[in-house]
Amino acid sequence: MASYYNENTVLYLNGAFVKASEAKMDYYSQSFHYGYSVFEGIRSYKTVNGETKIFKAVEHYDRLKISAQSLNLPYEWLTQELIDITYELLAKNNLQNAYIRPVVYAPANMSFNLNTESFLVIEVWEMGAFLGDKLLRVMTSSFQRPNPKGFKIHAKAAGHYVNSILASQEAKGLGFDEALLTDMNGNVAEGPGANLFYEKDGKLFTPSLGNILPGITRATVLELCDELNIPVVEKTIVKEEVYGADAAFFCGTAAEVIGFESYDNKSFALKWENTVSKLIQDAYKNLIVENKEALVDEVIGVE
Ligand code: PMP
């Protein structure tokens, strides 16, 4: 099993920095029993100037608040306060390239009733590239994403991830690297922990919001498309379109931008190196480490 902390690791728990090995939570928590908590997945990077920078910190902590409020979890924290705490936590743990995991959870409560308070833990651990630089072999999952009429699908709620775990385990069990899930209507939705884009004739396409998590990396890719003058369309997508694509990629905080080698064992028309998707991948890599000169070169290179 992976190890996320050692005897020196510190986490932030309900107003205090405490040793991870000594931190306690209530086993009667409504969150533990029913998957009723919300969380974020954030990354920090060592920038080209050597500084530690939390990427899209405001967007992530704002989404944590939206997720909590969507699930009726009391939420009193300010985004800036949590960003400051997170920088302090990274420094205490001597981390620059890290994954940051805040979780807002409920007190002891075996009923389904509302709570009057919530708790917050923030954990950090070292993280390099997640899915790696290699291309992914992806399959259509037999699992669909949760029905937005049954869940607050725009919220990053712990319980939703049972669906992600089932899909990812199925794909890996069948020898693939990752799953791509459809929505309740059978249209292409997203990966277990990442959003999808595909490329056709120099243009990018991605599923519209509504049945997917509104990814912060997805929004960043849309911004990069704008800066690089790459046309991009948000729409309903069927899997046959992805079969006929020039390229496809997943994007997410942990996954970053990672290309597909194949989808349902079908390969793509273009080599990854020759796609605009690869330009987006390079631009994203430069953005997260604030390599501004390289970013300017890319804009000039494309125009
Ligand atoms: N979809 C799902 C289901 C996810 O868990 C994630 C990861 N948070 C994403 C998409 C990508 O979101 P983001 O770019 O904000 O990390």
Side-chain angles (χ1 to χ4, degrees):
M1 280 287 121
S3 175
Y4 296 93
Y5 64 92
N6 58 35
E7 65 281 4
N8 300 316
T9 306
V10 171
L11 52 70
Y12 179 83
L13 181 63
N14 304 318
F17 293 101
V18 298
K19 280 200 160 186
S21 58
E22 291 167 9
K24 288 195 170 62
M25 77 167 279
D26 195 325
Y27 288 115
Y28 296 77
S29 163
Q30 199 183 26
S31 302
F32 178 56
H33 289 257
Y34 306 125
Y36 178 63
S37 63
V38 296
F39 68 100
E40 267 305 317
I42 315 173
R43 272 202 197 228
S44 65
Y45 292 97
K46 180 180 177 180
T47 68
V48 288
N49 298 328
E51 291 161 6
T52 305
K53 191 73 193 282
I54 302 172
F55 186 65
K56 302 277 180 188
V58 171
E59 288 81 351
H60 280 285
Y61 278 115
D62 281 353
R63 187 171 66 185
L64 184 66
K65 180 176 183 177
I66 292 167
S67 295
Q69 289 174 340
S70 304
L71 266 67
N72 313 317
L73 285 161
Y75 191 97
E76 312 241 307
W77 298 277
L78 300 173
T79 288
Q80 192 54 50
E81 169 194 359
L82 295 184
I83 293 172
D84 294 345
I85 289 166
T86 306
Y87 275 111
E88 205 178 328
L89 185 62
L90 289 169
K92 282 187 189 300
N93 287 288
N94 288 317
L95 288 172
Q96 291 203 285
N97 292 306
Y99 189 77
I100 300 156
R101 169 55 59 81
V103 185
V104 174
Y105 61 98
N109 182 357
M110 289 301 110
S111 80
F112 298 155
N113 294 340
L114 280 173
N115 304 292
T116 52
E117 62 177 341
S118 297
F119 302 124
L120 168 71
V121 63
I122 308 177
E123 298 159 5
V124 293
W125 61 87
E126 177 104 41
M127 186 179 270
F130 181 61
L131 290 170
D133 261 339
K134 73 177 194 104
L135 298 175
L136 301 177
R137 297 180 57 248
V138 178
M139 63 164 266
T140 306
S141 183
S142 71
F143 297 97
Q144 296 194 323
R145 289 296 289 162
N147 182 337
K149 290 183 177 147
F151 291 90
K152 299 285 181 73
I153 200 75
H154 63 279
K156 204 165 162 59
H160 299 173
Y161 284 82
V162 176
N163 172 257
S164 297
I165 289 172
L166 289 172
S168 203
Q169 289 178 348
E170 176 191 53
K172 284 165 190 162
L174 292 169
F176 290 85
D177 297 311
E178 199 46 284
L180 175 59
L181 292 88
T182 51
D183 63 24
M184 60 178 283
N185 302 312
N187 298 312
V188 168
E190 60 188 330
N195 292 113
L196 172 89
F197 282 79
Y198 81 82
E199 172 179 336
K200 182 76 180 173
D201 299 331
K203 219 171 172 181
L204 293 183
F205 299 85
T206 194
S208 309
L209 297 182
N211 297 318
I212 58 171
L213 186 82
I216 290 162
T217 319
R218 177 185 179 278
T220 306
V221 168
L222 293 176
E223 282 165 24
L224 288 172
C225 285
D226 190 41
E227 281 169 31
L228 296 172
N229 285 327
I230 296 169
V232 57
V233 180
E234 296 173 70
K235 68 181 205 64
T236 302
I237 292 172
V238 296
K239 72 179 183 201
E240 286 71 23
E241 289 173 72
V242 188
Y243 291 158
D246 293 334
F249 62 87
F250 275 142
C251 68
T253 299
E256 301 172 322
V257 173
I258 177 120
F260 286 18
E261 179 186 306
S262 62
Y263 173 44
D264 286 345
N265 286 319
K266 296 169 184 43
S267 54
F268 291 92
L270 294 181
K271 274 195 145 157
W272 178 251
E273 290 69 37
N274 302 331
T275 60
V276 295
S277 301
K278 170 74 162 63
L279 286 180
I280 293 287
Q281 184 183 47
D282 290 343
Y284 187 78
K285 276 188 185 159
N286 288 322
L287 184 67
I288 54 185
V289 295
E290 301 190 343
N291 192 357
K292 294 187 178 118
E293 278 173 35
L295 270 174
V296 172
D297 285 349
E298 291 207 19
V299 175
I300 294 166
V302 165
E303 277 174 342

